[in-house]
């Protein structure tokens, strides 16, 4: 059995969608903006991609901050530099989110004592995965794609 669609508005809409799929810069940029906001919100709240609180700072770290005259704040949020440095890049079929802050990789993946050279860090640093796609992010991404496809199909 074969079904052939000859309705002009449907075939025109499908043709628009097919053409638009060759350059998805618009939805990729929108998804990037969503992910930047979500990542910044996680850092501000001090939670990882799964919504679990970041590992607390160690007593050694808290003491070191005190000796340096720094305030003790939520993990990843001492200077707010990393949060402000979250950005995205995107293209016709890709999108990436990251941070230009020097501590971003250590916060995301953690680091073993002395692994960074020159004795740094002075203790083990647990991973605090602030980058990634949460369940809420997935839902928002699906909505953004659906809205874009509907807009493209209608013209």
């Amino acid at each position: 059995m074969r079904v052939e669609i000859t309705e002009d508005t449907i075939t025109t809409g499908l043709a628009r969608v097919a053409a638009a799929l060759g350059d998805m810069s618009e939805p990729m940029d929108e998804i990037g903006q969503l992910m930047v906001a979500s990542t910044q919100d996680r850092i501000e709240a001090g939670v990882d991609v799964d919504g679990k609180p970041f590992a607390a700072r160690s007593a050694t770290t808290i003491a070191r901050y005190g000796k340096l005259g720094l305030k003790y704040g939520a993990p990843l949020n001492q200077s707010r530099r990393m949060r402000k440095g979250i950005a995205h890049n995107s293209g016709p079929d890709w999108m990436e989110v990251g941070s230009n802050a020097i501590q971003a990789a250590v916060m995301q993946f953690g680091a073993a004592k002395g692994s960074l050279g020159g004795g740094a860090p002075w203790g083990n640093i647990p991973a605090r995965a602030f980058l990634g796609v949460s369940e809420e992010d997935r839902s928002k991404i699906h909505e953004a794609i659906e809205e874009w496809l509907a807009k493209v199909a209608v013209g």
Side-chain angles (χ1 to χ4, degrees), residues 57-141:
R57 289 192 169 128
S58 71
T60 304
T61 299
I62 293 169
R64 174 67 66 95
Y65 277 147
K67 288 178 186 175
L68 296 174
L70 300 172
K71 300 186 303 185
Y72 172 68
L76 308 180
N77 227 13
Q78 182 71 32
S79 68
R80 299 196 185 276
R81 187 175 305 130
M82 192 168 80
R83 182 182 179 280
K84 291 175 186 174
I86 302 295
H88 81 282
N89 289 312
S90 60
D93 63 352
W94 62 274
M95 186 280 304
E96 62 185 12
V97 174
S99 174
N100 61 4
I102 195 165
Q103 72 272 35
V106 171
M107 292 294 130
Q108 179 72 18
F109 303 111
K113 179 179 179 178
S115 65
L116 302 178
W122 58 79
N124 291 332
I125 299 175
R128 295 173 175 105
F130 62 96
L131 291 170
V133 181
S134 70
E135 286 302 317
E136 184 178 351
D137 294 335
R138 279 185 189 82
S139 177
K140 288 180 180 180
I141 290 168

Side-chain angles (χ1 to χ4, degrees), residues 8 11 34 40 45 47 63 79 81 91 95 105 124 129-130 132 136 144 146-147:
D8 286 343
T11 55
L34 289 169
Q40 289 175 330
V47 298
S79 68
R81 187 175 305 130
M95 186 280 304
N124 291 332
F130 62 96
E136 184 178 351
E146 288 172 10
E147 288 173 12

